[in-house]
Amino acid sequence: MTRQRQDRLVDLLVRSGSWRTAADLADRLGVTTRSIRSYVAAVNERVGGTDAIESGAMGYRVRPDRLAAIRDTADENVPDVRRHAIGRTIVLADDGVDVYALADEHFVSEGTIEADLAWVRARGVERGLRWERRGPIVGFVGEESARRATLRSLLLADTPGGYDESVVEGLLGVGSVDRSRVLRARLSAQLTASGYFVNEFALGGVAFAVLLAAWRSAAGAVIESVGDAVVDPAARGVVDEVTREVLGAALPAAEVDALTVLLRVRGAVASGSPSDDTDDDTAIAAELRRIVDAVTERFAVPALEDDVLTRLVAHVQNLRRRSSGGEWSRNPLTRTLKASYPLLFDVAVALASALYERFGIPVHDDEVAYLAMHIGGQWERRRSLENRLTATLVCPGYYEMHELLRTGIEQSLGSVLMITDVHTDAEPSGGFDTDLVLTTLEAGQNADNVVQISPFFTDVDAERVMAAVARIRRSRRLSQFRAELSRYFVPSAFVRGIEAGADEESVIRRLGALLVADGVIDEDYVESTVARERTSSTAFTETLAVPHAIGMTATRTAIAIGIAESTLPWGDARVQVVAMVAFSETDREAFQTVFEQFVEVFSDASSVQRLVRRGTDFPAFLEQLAALIDG
């Protein structure tokens, strides 16, 4: 447990990327500040006594140049690391592996090994391998393509989006990581030049697949035919050329074909490329359009434009192929999207849930994030234009200077700001009715909406104006949310002191029972909330979980609050505040306001700790929450 908490400490520091206090870290891990000091010392000792985690007046942070050293000290006795290592051993053993030898090698009991084997078996079976056991000998039987897919999944690091580089180097040879980076860069450049839309996040996995193909085929384990899949000749040419160039050798034709198919499914989609779409694919495309329309209508968000929907259809068809072979794509932006765009992520979860119900396509959190990225770009462009602030430009007339200044501002900030009035008087009378006033004169007033800029618009000016725009937008959002607080919270649905051992389902049922008693929801809503939580964790920040149902069947929009004295495990995170939200169909607009603003308020962990400590009862909680919003 101590070693796991050390690794959890490192994870928290890496994810924040900045200083964190001992008190904050102790709250997150459910230990004392003294334990935090011990964990820091232990981690530093693991990397040779250096200050990989440095301390200072602001707390602790990980030195970026020592992060790789920390990860290189991964202990084989950490369960996840051990399971991956055991899995790789079994996948690569043609004649199976002795269970007792595995237990001795990893210094664990036979019971622990049996639990690890169940995990490994599930990994391989999901990707098409068959598990066989003959007494103490265990192993996989199946096609090389399934073996490769399983091996790739077992090379993934515990961090989002990456491969365990030290393991890759040990398996494929020194310099293999550098070669994979070269492969990725060359594939990206060549595919982009050929007119492909490249998924850079997934392309790293394709580069590792190329290295694996070269390694396995050189050992005589050549992949089978790609079957009925249509191989895009242009993409195949790129794969073959780049492989020869970087590796200095030609792969067997079947290997190049298989990599080209993998590239299409995971890495790139070409406009006008050959298609192997079947009638089933066409049916999926038509059904997906109906699903997307239903989801966007339910959440009262803009419908998708045709070009966005076309790309989404292609993505889902590739997702279906990936899921059938266990080829999941990591997404390093999952946590960021979840915390910064909770509504967008929730719409993607609803879409993923519908895909599973209709087509049996399971969608992991990282794949949900890809769905969110597909639909989020259009929303953000539209929302940015709709939410542009108005501005008055004050610039005394001197030839065409005010025109040049206006052009510079619009080119730099046109997506967030719209100049609606220009004053060229040397002494303007004031009384402007726009959101912002941008003036080249010395600001004689301290109003929050007045920003002094230079006559020639600079990057420093742009940063100053953007800061004012962000401040005004945040103030308006939170002011609206503050005014609606009393409307949504249910005084009788406030629980202080959730037990430390409580899990997600028990907390949801406890808070749900209070909303049922108040007549807000029924038992079906509680069950739907539990089902939604199983689909994807609702821990949107490091402190807050917002469990809710996908359907909006509550009699009114309401929030039940649960507070834990120490952090609770919630998905792959730990939280201290649980806000179960019930949404009604007649109050769909409130969904967007409540959901996004509530998550935004709880994004600052240190402020939330103050709320948790002082919110001893419902009135005190509301008072502290209002102060948190105003502050």
Side-chain angles (χ1 to χ4, degrees), residues 512-513 515-517 519-529 553-555 580 582:
L515 292 177
V516 170
V520 176
I521 59 175
D522 56 19
E523 290 295 342
D524 287 343
Y525 192 96
V526 178
E527 295 301 327
S528 180
T529 303
T553 58
T555 58
M580 181 172 172

Side-chain angles (χ1 to χ4, degrees), residues 219-354:
V222 180
I223 210 163
E224 306 80 7
S225 167
V226 296
D228 296 332
V230 175
V231 179
D232 181 350
R236 189 189 190 284
V238 171
V239 172
D240 191 32
E241 178 184 344
V242 170
T243 301
R244 291 172 184 267
E245 174 189 336
V246 178
L247 301 184
L251 293 177
E255 294 283 0
V256 179
D257 288 344
L259 289 169
T260 305
V261 173
L262 181 67
L263 178 69
R264 177 190 171 190
V265 172
R266 295 192 61 180
V269 177
S271 176
S273 65
S275 172
D276 59 354
D277 290 348
T278 63
D279 291 340
D280 187 41
D281 292 326
T282 304
I284 285 182
E287 185 65 19
L288 180 61
R289 290 176 182 271
R290 289 192 288 271
I291 290 173
V292 169
D293 288 343
V295 169
T296 54
E297 181 181 359
R298 180 194 309 164
F299 285 87
V301 294
L304 294 188
E305 297 169 357
D306 287 343
D307 60 334
V308 177
L309 194 56
T310 298
R311 290 195 293 271
L312 181 61
V313 166
H315 176 82
V316 170
Q317 289 172 331
N318 284 338
L319 173 59
R320 180 173 65 103
R321 298 183 180 96
R322 284 204 300 278
S323 66
S324 64
E327 289 285 353
W328 305 111
S329 291
R330 289 284 185 99
N331 191 329
L333 299 181
T334 299
R335 286 172 175 163
T336 301
L337 284 168
K338 207 169 193 177
S340 303
Y341 302 94
L343 174 61
L344 171 63
F345 197 87
D346 215 55
V347 172
V349 169
L351 177 58
S353 180

